[in-house]
């Protein structure tokens, strides 16, 4: 029984867990039904301009596959064995009717599999509005910004067709303000976790972040603030764990048990690249002037580095990971990457050589969203944690 | 006690080539020699990819191109890629990723010896034509780390909505003007001359006319060409280092005459074992071929009288079926359109439409998909493509799985079984159709 006198994050975590586990999306359906005319727009990893979806009056929800609780029956019939798991469970969600309440889908240009899934969606669900979002790969300001601003104009038109009304610049500015606040709070949670990882276990933080992709931003902002306030007051035992950064899990998500296993094996996760959309822009997006231009500018000049993005400057390839290790006081990196994930797996050798040069230890393993056997993960992560404790600084 | 049986050594069967193949072999040999001579001649080397390659532009800077996929294909055909792939995996590259990349990296690790047995030079610039394939981007980041040379990003927007927009063209032209051309000028020391580009494009368009005529000659019955296995030879010059050259014009003119003659004589395609005697099945093939067992793979088709009358792979370095030609009057815009039109830059509905069109136009018996483990750009979604094409055409489709250049993923017995079943399926379909009629 909970001791009511002691502050606890448990009720928030329970709510987040319920959102996370619900593969029929009851809460999102309820949101939609609460007011006539409400629409829901899904998006795939790693990023979508959620501000535009929100400004249209729609609920943006992250479609992150089916995890380890979804039995994939139909989805496997659409993919060969050598293709990752997230598209097949996403197809499963679609063909099983679990996404029938979703009015539009956005597929960002993360890799060829998700890119092609956008076309599959058009063929399989012709009655649903579907759009591929072509994210810029040329990061020269006066080339990339106009390209992405144009792409955003087209996304805006796409959303206007879904809701049947124009989206004003002021509505977008208002949404940018709300998402700026959301990103600020998310960054604060991450900072706090790095400061006191024993009080903010990653298995909880992860659920809190997943909830942000399933609830209205206003609600999530309140949730983040409350969670931080309570987590700071908790008195969980400090363990002699190693501090690690997780890299490579930006698309297909690891099972929650995998995160728990890493922690149980003696690691504090002090930074990660799960669900990067919620802190994509590293500082505030400007709210005055042309809002689409502002979003485009932020994407080009001030967004997170991950494998699906081209790194124009070879001198800083992998620097973001080294910075993350140093800024968060980490002692090593765990490359946890989905099997058959082209962006993560092709990038890994380059990141490894950057870490090697910086004398930062690392290990790596692959997973699928439905990986059930955690013993190998626990053994590898545990050995890594021990080796850090034994050998670091020598 | 075991008995050792020594098989009599038979002389390897002579590979039959038509004259155009011999001509191309000679062109390719000259190209590789020119490339390998670059350190001595002082010519600058530009590494770039086949889809969306800007050969006409590269030529404006007196540069010689080096295409890593073509090197990987050559390694595959020469049975060297397997070792290269494993070398790359030893260096830490995942077993899950593209084997073109791993063959290329393994080849570098083993001394970068090209198909002519000589060391390939380091590139002076990497022109990343980011067209239709995500892996390209990481591949050139990996090569950049190795070669420490300039890298130019030329991002081609994907045809997610099934159309080319004026904004897409503008974006690409801007990249050409602001990034690609100034960097190539700087690296080569040669000033850009748009009239020279126009001239190259004029030559390209001329070769493209004959090239597409040859591919479309498969509408004849019997088809005078195999548009997949043979098609790989036919696309060589236009996809590679020769688009925009007189060599390409001569080659395609010569090839066209050769094919015209085959039509006149009522001949089927030439195969490594000679002329194909009887055309029994006309197929459309989606996806790249396997290169490590190329001849064995092809033989499984021509032994059964199966000829490929159209293929999507031969459109991966440019789609000319629907009217596109390089246009000297709109030089930069035309380069942009070329990149945008590449087969793998088309969305799935466009790809389905194209395959359905091929089946109807070439009066094919069905669709065969060769799904390649390495290539998600092609492979992701192919099972749906198969269903859609079957639904729309009423023609049977089949699915086989191999890899580009990793011999571990070519299971001959498996592929042969599936093909035989597929041919039986076509027969059944034919007999049930004639019965119904």
């Amino acid at each position: 029984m909970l001791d009511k006198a002691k502050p606890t994050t448990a009720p928030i975590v329970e709510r987040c867990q319920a959102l996370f586990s619900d593969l029929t999306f009851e809460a999102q359906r309820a949101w939609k039904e609460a007011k006539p005319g409400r629409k829901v727009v899904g998006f795939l990893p790693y990023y979508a301009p959620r501000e535009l979806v929100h400004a249209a009056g729609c609920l943006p929800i992250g479609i992150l596959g089916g995890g380890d609780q979804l039995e994939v029956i139909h989805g496997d019939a659409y993919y060969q064995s050598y293709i990752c798991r997230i598209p097949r469970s996403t197809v499963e969600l679609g063909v099983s009717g679990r996404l029938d309440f979703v009015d539009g889908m956005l597929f960002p240009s993360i890799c060829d599999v998700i890119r092609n899934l956008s076309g599959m969606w058009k063929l399989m669900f012709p009655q649903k509005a579907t759009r591929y979002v072509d994210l810029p790969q040329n990061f020269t300001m006066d080339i990339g910004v106009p390209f992405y601003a144009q792409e955003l104009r087209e996304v805006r038109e796409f959303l206007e067709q879904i809701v049947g009304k124009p989206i004003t610049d002021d509505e977008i500015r208002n949404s940018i303000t709300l998402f700026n606040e959301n990103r600020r709070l998310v960054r604060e949670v991450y900072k706090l976790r790095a400061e006191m990882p024993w009080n903010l276990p990653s298995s909880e933080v992860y659920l809190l972040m997943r909830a942000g992709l399933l609830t209205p931003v206003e609600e999530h902002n309140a949730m983040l603030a409350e969670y931080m306030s309570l987590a700071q007051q908790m008195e969980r035992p400090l363990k002699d764990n190693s501090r690690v950064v997780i890299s490579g899990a930006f698309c297909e998500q690891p099972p929650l048990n995998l995160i728990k296993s890493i922690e149980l094996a003696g690691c504090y996760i002090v930074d990660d690249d799960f669900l990067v959309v919620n802190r994509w822009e590293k500082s505030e997006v400007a709210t005055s002037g042309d809002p689409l231009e502002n979003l485009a500018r932020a994407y080009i000049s001030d967004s997170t580095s991950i494998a699906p993005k081209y790194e124009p400057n070879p001198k800083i390839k992998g620097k973001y990971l080294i910075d993350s290790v140093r800024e968060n006081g980490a002692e090593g990196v765990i490359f946890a990457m989905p099997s058959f994930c082209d962006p993560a797996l092709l990038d890994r050798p380059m990141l490894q050589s950057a870490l090697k040069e910086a004398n930062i230890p690392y290990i790596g393993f692959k997973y699928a969203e439905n990986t059930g056997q955690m013993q190998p993960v626990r053994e590898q992560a545990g050995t890594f944690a021990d080796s850090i404790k034994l050998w670091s600084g020598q | 006690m075991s008995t050792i049986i020594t098989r009599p050594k038979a002389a390897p069967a002579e590979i039959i080539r038509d004259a155009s193949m011999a001509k191309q072999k000679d062109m390719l040999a000259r190209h590789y020699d020119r490339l390998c001579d670059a350190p001595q001649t002082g010519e600058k080397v530009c590494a770039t990819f086949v889809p969306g390659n800007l050969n006409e532009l590269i030529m404006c800077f007196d540069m010689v191109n080096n295409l890593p996929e073509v090197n990987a294909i050559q390694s595959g055909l020469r049975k060297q890629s397997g070792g290269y792939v494993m070398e790359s995996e030893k260096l830490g590259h995942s077993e899950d990723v593209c084997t073109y990349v791993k063959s290329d990296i393994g080849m570098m690790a083993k001394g970068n010896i090209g198909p002519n047995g000589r060391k390939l030079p380091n590139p002076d610039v990497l022109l990343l034509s980011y067209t239709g394939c995500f892996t390209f981007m990481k591949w050139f980041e990996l090569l950049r780390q190795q070669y420490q040379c300039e890298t130019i990003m030329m991002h081609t927007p994907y045809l997610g909505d099934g159309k080319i927009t004026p904004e897409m063209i503008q974006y690409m032209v801007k990249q050409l003007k602001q990034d690609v051309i100034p960097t190539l000028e700087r690296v080569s020391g040669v000033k850009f001359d748009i009239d020279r580009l126009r001239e190259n494009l004029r030559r390209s368009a001329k070769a493209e006319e004959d090239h597409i005529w040859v591919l479309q000659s498969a509408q004849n019955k019997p088809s005078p060409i195999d548009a997949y296995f043979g098609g790989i030879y036919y696309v060589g010059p236009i996809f590679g280092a020769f688009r925009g050259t007189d060599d390409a014009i001569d080659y395609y003119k010569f090839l066209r005459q050769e094919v015209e003659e085959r039509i006149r004589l009522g001949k089927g395609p030439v195969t490594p074992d000679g002329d194909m005697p009887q055309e029994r099945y006309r197929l459309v093939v989606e996806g790249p071929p396997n290169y490590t067992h190329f001849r064995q793979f092809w033989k499984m088709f021509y032994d059964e009288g199966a000829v490929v009358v159209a293929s999507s792979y031969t459109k991966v370095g440019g789609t000319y079926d629907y009217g596109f030609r390089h246009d000297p009057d709109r030089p930069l815009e035309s380069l942009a359109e070329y990149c945008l039109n590449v087969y793998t830059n088309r969305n799935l509905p466009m790809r389905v439409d194209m395959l359905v069109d091929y089946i109807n136009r070439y009066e094919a018996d069905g669709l065969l998909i060769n799904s390649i483990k390495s290539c998600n750009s092609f492979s992701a979604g192919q099972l749906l493509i198969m269903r859609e094409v079957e639904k729309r055409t009423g023609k049977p489709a089949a699915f086989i799985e191999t890899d580009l250049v990793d011999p571990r993923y070519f299971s001959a017995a498996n592929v042969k079984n599936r093909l035989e079943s597929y041919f039986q399926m076509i027969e059944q379909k034919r007999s049930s159709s004639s019965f119904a009629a």
Side-chain angles (χ1 to χ4, degrees), chain A residues 145-193:
Chain A
V145 172
F147 168 77
Y148 191 45
Q150 172 61 27
E151 187 68 17
L152 291 172
R153 271 190 283 280
E154 290 175 22
V155 173
R156 180 187 194 162
E157 284 165 20
F158 167 83
L159 294 163
E160 285 173 341
Q161 281 187 355
I162 291 176
V163 294
K165 68 174 183 69
I167 306 167
T168 67
D169 280 359
D170 278 339
E171 283 168 333
I172 302 174
R173 286 189 197 104
N174 177 48
S175 298
I176 291 175
T177 305
L178 277 165
F179 279 95
N180 273 340
E181 176 65 0
N182 189 253
R183 284 184 285 266
R184 188 188 66 75
L185 290 163
V186 166
R187 279 192 293 269
E188 251 184 62
V189 173
Y190 267 71
K191 191 162 171 273
L192 194 60
R193 179 182 64 171

Coordinates of all heavy atoms in Angstrom, one line a residue, chain A residues 145-193:
Chain A
V145 N 16.6 25.7 -45.5 CA 15.5 26.4 -44.9 C 14.3 26.6 -45.9 O 13.2 26.2 -45.6 CB 15.9 27.7 -44.2 CG1 14.7 28.5 -43.7 CG2 16.8 27.4 -43.0
P146 N 14.5 27.1 -47.1 CA 13.4 27.3 -48.0 C 12.8 25.9 -48.4 O 11.6 25.8 -48.5 CB 14.0 28.0 -49.2 CG 15.3 28.6 -48.8 CD 15.8 27.8 -47.6
F147 N 13.6 24.9 -48.5 CA 13.1 23.6 -48.9 C 12.2 23.1 -47.8 O 11.0 22.7 -48.1 CB 14.2 22.6 -49.1 CG 13.7 21.2 -49.2 CD1 13.1 20.7 -50.4 CD2 13.8 20.3 -48.1 CE1 12.6 19.4 -50.4 CE2 13.3 19.0 -48.2 CZ 12.7 18.6 -49.4
Y148 N 12.6 23.2 -46.6 CA 11.8 22.6 -45.5 C 10.6 23.5 -45.2 O 9.5 23.0 -44.9 CB 12.6 22.4 -44.2 CG 11.9 21.6 -43.2 CD1 11.2 20.4 -43.6 CD2 11.8 21.9 -41.9 CE1 10.4 19.7 -42.7 CE2 11.1 21.2 -41.0 CZ 10.4 20.1 -41.4 OH 9.6 19.3 -40.5
A149 N 10.7 24.8 -45.4 CA 9.6 25.7 -45.2 C 8.5 25.4 -46.2 O 7.3 25.3 -45.9 CB 10.0 27.2 -45.3
Q150 N 8.9 25.0 -47.4 CA 8.0 24.6 -48.5 C 7.3 23.3 -48.1 O 6.1 23.1 -48.2 CB 8.7 24.5 -49.8 CG 7.8 23.9 -51.0 CD 6.6 24.8 -51.3 OE1 6.6 26.0 -51.1 NE2 5.6 24.1 -51.8
E151 N 8.1 22.4 -47.6 CA 7.6 21.1 -47.2 C 6.5 21.3 -46.1 O 5.4 20.7 -46.1 CB 8.7 20.2 -46.7 CG 8.3 18.8 -46.4 CD 8.0 17.9 -47.6 OE1 8.3 18.4 -48.7 OE2 7.3 16.9 -47.4
L152 N 6.8 22.2 -45.2 CA 5.9 22.5 -44.1 C 4.6 23.2 -44.6 O 3.5 22.9 -44.1 CB 6.5 23.4 -43.0 CG 7.6 22.7 -42.2 CD1 8.4 23.8 -41.3 CD2 7.1 21.6 -41.3
R153 N 4.7 24.0 -45.6 CA 3.5 24.6 -46.2 C 2.6 23.5 -46.8 O 1.4 23.6 -46.7 CB 4.0 25.6 -47.4 CG 4.2 27.0 -46.9 CD 4.4 28.0 -48.0 NE 5.7 27.9 -48.7 CZ 6.8 28.4 -48.2 NH1 6.7 29.2 -47.1 NH2 7.9 28.3 -48.8
E154 N 3.3 22.5 -47.4 CA 2.5 21.4 -48.0 C 1.9 20.5 -46.9 O 0.7 20.1 -47.0 CB 3.4 20.6 -48.9 CG 3.7 21.3 -50.2 CD 4.7 20.6 -51.1 OE1 4.8 19.4 -51.0 OE2 5.4 21.3 -51.9
V155 N 2.6 20.4 -45.8 CA 2.0 19.6 -44.6 C 0.8 20.4 -44.1 O -0.2 19.9 -43.7 CB 3.1 19.4 -43.5 CG1 2.4 18.7 -42.3 CG2 4.2 18.4 -44.0
R156 N 1.0 21.7 -44.0 CA -0.1 22.6 -43.5 C -1.4 22.4 -44.4 O -2.5 22.2 -43.9 CB 0.4 24.0 -43.6 CG -0.6 25.1 -43.1 CD 0.0 26.4 -43.4 NE -0.7 27.5 -42.7 CZ -0.1 28.7 -42.5 NH1 1.1 29.0 -42.9 NH2 -0.8 29.7 -41.9
E157 N -1.2 22.4 -45.7 CA -2.3 22.2 -46.6 C -2.9 20.8 -46.5 O -4.2 20.7 -46.5 CB -1.8 22.4 -48.1 CG -1.6 23.8 -48.5 CD -0.8 23.9 -49.8 OE1 -0.8 22.9 -50.6 OE2 -0.2 25.0 -50.1
F158 N -2.1 19.9 -46.2 CA -2.5 18.5 -46.0 C -3.4 18.4 -44.8 O -4.5 17.9 -44.8 CB -1.3 17.6 -45.8 CG -1.5 16.2 -45.3 CD1 -2.0 15.2 -46.1 CD2 -1.3 16.0 -43.9 CE1 -2.2 13.9 -45.6 CE2 -1.5 14.7 -43.4 CZ -1.9 13.7 -44.2
L159 N -3.0 19.1 -43.7 CA -3.8 19.2 -42.5 C -5.1 20.0 -42.6 O -6.1 19.6 -42.1 CB -2.9 19.7 -41.3 CG -1.7 18.8 -40.9 CD1 -0.7 19.6 -40.1 CD2 -2.2 17.6 -40.2
E160 N -5.0 21.1 -43.4 CA -6.1 21.9 -43.6 C -7.2 21.1 -44.3 O -8.4 21.3 -44.1 CB -5.8 23.1 -44.5 CG -5.0 24.2 -43.6 CD -4.5 25.3 -44.5 OE1 -4.3 25.2 -45.7 OE2 -4.1 26.4 -43.8
Q161 N -6.8 20.2 -45.2 CA -7.8 19.3 -45.9 C -8.4 18.4 -44.9 O -9.6 18.1 -45.1 CB -7.1 18.6 -47.0 CG -6.9 19.5 -48.2 CD -6.4 18.8 -49.5 OE1 -6.1 17.6 -49.4 NE2 -6.3 19.5 -50.5
I162 N -7.7 17.9 -44.0 CA -8.2 17.0 -43.0 C -9.3 17.7 -42.1 O -10.4 17.1 -41.9 CB -7.1 16.4 -42.1 CG1 -6.2 15.4 -42.9 CG2 -7.7 15.6 -40.9 CD1 -5.0 14.8 -42.2
V163 N -8.9 18.9 -41.7 CA -9.9 19.6 -40.7 C -10.9 20.5 -41.5 O -11.8 20.9 -40.9 CB -9.1 20.4 -39.7 CG1 -8.3 19.5 -38.8 CG2 -8.2 21.5 -40.3
G164 N -10.6 20.7 -42.7 CA -11.6 21.5 -43.5 C -11.6 22.9 -43.2 O -12.6 23.6 -43.4
K165 N -10.5 23.4 -42.7 CA -10.4 24.9 -42.4 C -9.0 25.3 -42.5 O -8.1 24.5 -42.3 CB -11.1 25.2 -41.1 CG -10.3 24.7 -39.9 CD -10.9 25.2 -38.6 CE -10.1 24.8 -37.4 NZ -8.8 25.4 -37.2
P166 N -8.8 26.6 -42.7 CA -7.4 27.1 -42.8 C -6.7 27.1 -41.4 O -7.4 27.3 -40.4 CB -7.5 28.5 -43.4 CG -8.9 28.9 -43.3 CD -9.7 27.7 -43.1
I167 N -5.4 26.9 -41.4 CA -4.7 27.1 -40.1 C -4.0 28.4 -40.2 O -3.2 28.7 -41.1 CB -3.6 25.9 -40.0 CG1 -4.3 24.6 -40.2 CG2 -2.9 26.0 -38.7 CD1 -3.3 23.4 -40.4
T168 N -4.2 29.2 -39.2 CA -3.6 30.6 -39.2 C -2.2 30.6 -38.7 O -1.8 29.7 -37.9 CB -4.5 31.6 -38.4 OG1 -4.3 31.2 -37.0 CG2 -5.9 31.6 -38.8
D169 N -1.5 31.6 -39.0 CA -0.1 31.8 -38.5 C -0.1 31.9 -37.0 O 0.8 31.3 -36.3 CB 0.6 33.0 -39.1 CG 1.1 32.8 -40.5 OD1 1.0 31.6 -41.0 OD2 1.6 33.7 -41.1
D170 N -1.1 32.6 -36.5 CA -1.2 32.8 -35.0 C -1.4 31.4 -34.3 O -0.9 31.2 -33.2 CB -2.3 33.8 -34.6 CG -1.8 35.2 -34.8 OD1 -0.5 35.4 -34.8 OD2 -2.6 36.1 -34.9
E171 N -2.2 30.6 -34.9 CA -2.5 29.3 -34.3 C -1.1 28.5 -34.3 O -0.9 27.8 -33.3 CB -3.5 28.5 -35.1 CG -4.9 29.0 -34.8 CD -6.0 28.5 -35.8 OE1 -5.6 28.2 -37.0 OE2 -7.2 28.4 -35.4
I172 N -0.4 28.6 -35.3 CA 0.9 27.9 -35.3 C 1.9 28.5 -34.3 O 2.5 27.7 -33.6 CB 1.6 27.9 -36.8 CG1 0.6 27.3 -37.8 CG2 2.9 27.1 -36.8 CD1 1.0 27.4 -39.2
R173 N 1.9 29.8 -34.2 CA 2.8 30.4 -33.2 C 2.4 30.0 -31.8 O 3.2 29.7 -31.0 CB 2.7 32.0 -33.3 CG 3.4 32.5 -34.5 CD 3.4 34.0 -34.5 NE 3.7 34.5 -35.8 CZ 2.8 35.1 -36.6 NH1 1.6 35.3 -36.3 NH2 3.2 35.4 -37.9
N174 N 1.1 29.9 -31.5 CA 0.6 29.5 -30.2 C 1.1 28.0 -30.0 O 1.5 27.7 -28.9 CB -0.9 29.6 -30.2 CG -1.5 29.1 -28.9 OD1 -1.0 29.4 -27.8 ND2 -2.5 28.2 -29.0
S175 N 1.0 27.2 -31.0 CA 1.4 25.8 -30.8 C 2.9 25.7 -30.6 O 3.4 24.9 -29.8 CB 1.0 25.0 -32.0 OG -0.4 25.0 -32.2
I176 N 3.7 26.6 -31.3 CA 5.1 26.6 -31.1 C 5.4 26.9 -29.7 O 6.3 26.3 -29.0 CB 5.8 27.5 -32.1 CG1 5.7 27.0 -33.5 CG2 7.3 27.8 -31.7 CD1 6.2 28.0 -34.6
T177 N 4.7 27.9 -29.1 CA 4.9 28.3 -27.7 C 4.7 27.1 -26.8 O 5.5 26.8 -25.9 CB 4.0 29.4 -27.3 OG1 4.2 30.5 -28.2 CG2 4.3 29.9 -25.9
L178 N 3.6 26.4 -27.0 CA 3.3 25.2 -26.2 C 4.4 24.1 -26.3 O 4.8 23.5 -25.3 CB 2.0 24.6 -26.5 CG 0.8 25.3 -25.9 CD1 -0.5 24.9 -26.6 CD2 0.7 25.0 -24.4
F179 N 4.8 23.9 -27.5 CA 5.8 22.8 -27.7 C 7.2 23.3 -27.2 O 8.0 22.4 -26.8 CB 5.8 22.3 -29.2 CG 4.7 21.3 -29.4 CD1 3.5 21.7 -29.9 CD2 4.9 20.0 -29.1 CE1 2.5 20.8 -30.1 CE2 3.9 19.0 -29.3 CZ 2.7 19.5 -29.8
N180 N 7.5 24.6 -27.3 CA 8.7 25.1 -26.7 C 8.7 24.7 -25.2 O 9.8 24.3 -24.7 CB 8.8 26.6 -26.9 CG 9.4 27.0 -28.2 OD1 10.1 26.2 -28.9 ND2 9.2 28.2 -28.6
E181 N 7.6 24.9 -24.6 CA 7.5 24.7 -23.2 C 7.7 23.1 -22.9 O 8.4 22.7 -22.0 CB 6.1 25.1 -22.7 CG 5.8 24.8 -21.2 CD 6.7 25.6 -20.2 OE1 7.6 26.3 -20.6 OE2 6.6 25.3 -19.0
N182 N 7.1 22.4 -23.8 CA 7.2 20.9 -23.7 C 8.6 20.5 -23.8 O 9.1 19.7 -23.0 CB 6.3 20.2 -24.7 CG 6.2 18.7 -24.5 OD1 6.8 18.0 -25.3 ND2 5.5 18.3 -23.5
R183 N 9.3 21.0 -24.8 CA 10.7 20.6 -25.0 C 11.6 21.1 -23.8 O 12.5 20.4 -23.4 CB 11.3 21.2 -26.3 CG 10.8 20.5 -27.5 CD 11.4 21.0 -28.8 NE 10.8 22.3 -29.2 CZ 9.8 22.4 -30.1 NH1 9.3 21.3 -30.6 NH2 9.3 23.6 -30.4
R184 N 11.2 22.3 -23.3 CA 12.0 22.8 -22.1 C 11.8 21.8 -20.9 O 12.8 21.5 -20.3 CB 11.5 24.2 -21.8 CG 12.4 24.9 -20.7 CD 11.7 26.2 -20.3 NE 10.5 26.0 -19.5 CZ 10.3 25.6 -18.3 NH1 11.4 25.3 -17.6 NH2 9.2 25.5 -17.7
L185 N 10.6 21.4 -20.7 CA 10.3 20.5 -19.6 C 11.0 19.1 -19.8 O 11.5 18.6 -18.9 CB 8.8 20.4 -19.4 CG 8.1 21.6 -18.8 CD1 6.6 21.6 -19.0 CD2 8.4 21.8 -17.3
V186 N 10.9 18.7 -21.0 CA 11.5 17.4 -21.3 C 13.0 17.5 -21.0 O 13.6 16.6 -20.4 CB 11.3 17.0 -22.8 CG1 12.2 15.8 -23.2 CG2 9.8 16.6 -23.0
R187 N 13.6 18.5 -21.5 CA 15.1 18.7 -21.3 C 15.4 18.7 -19.8 O 16.4 18.2 -19.3 CB 15.6 19.9 -22.0 CG 15.9 19.7 -23.4 CD 16.7 20.9 -24.0 NE 15.9 22.1 -24.1 CZ 15.1 22.5 -25.1 NH1 15.1 21.7 -26.2 NH2 14.5 23.6 -25.1
E188 N 14.5 19.4 -19.0 CA 14.7 19.5 -17.6 C 14.6 18.1 -16.9 O 15.4 17.8 -16.0 CB 13.6 20.4 -17.0 CG 14.1 21.7 -16.5 CD 13.0 22.5 -15.8 OE1 12.5 22.1 -14.8 OE2 12.7 23.6 -16.3
V189 N 13.6 17.3 -17.4 CA 13.5 15.9 -16.9 C 14.8 15.2 -17.1 O 15.4 14.5 -16.3 CB 12.3 15.2 -17.5 CG1 12.3 13.7 -17.0 CG2 11.0 15.8 -17.0
Y190 N 15.3 15.3 -18.3 CA 16.6 14.6 -18.7 C 17.7 15.1 -17.9 O 18.6 14.3 -17.4 CB 16.9 14.8 -20.2 CG 16.3 13.7 -21.1 CD1 14.9 13.6 -21.3 CD2 17.1 12.8 -21.6 CE1 14.4 12.6 -22.0 CE2 16.6 11.7 -22.4 CZ 15.2 11.6 -22.6 OH 14.7 10.6 -23.3
K191 N 17.8 16.4 -17.6 CA 18.8 17.0 -16.8 C 18.8 16.4 -15.4 O 19.8 16.0 -14.8 CB 18.7 18.5 -16.8 CG 19.9 19.2 -16.3 CD 19.9 20.7 -16.7 CE 20.9 21.5 -16.0 NZ 20.4 22.0 -14.7
L192 N 17.5 16.4 -14.9 CA 17.3 15.9 -13.5 C 17.7 14.5 -13.4 O 18.3 14.0 -12.4 CB 15.9 16.2 -13.1 CG 15.5 16.1 -11.7 CD1 16.3 17.1 -10.8 CD2 14.0 16.3 -11.5
R193 N 17.3 13.7 -14.4 CA 17.7 12.3 -14.4 C 19.2 12.1 -14.3 O 19.7 11.2 -13.6 CB 17.1 11.5 -15.6 CG 17.4 10.1 -15.6 CD 16.9 9.3 -16.8 NE 17.5 9.8 -18.1 CZ 17.4 9.2 -19.2 NH1 16.6 8.1 -19.3 NH2 17.9 9.7 -20.3

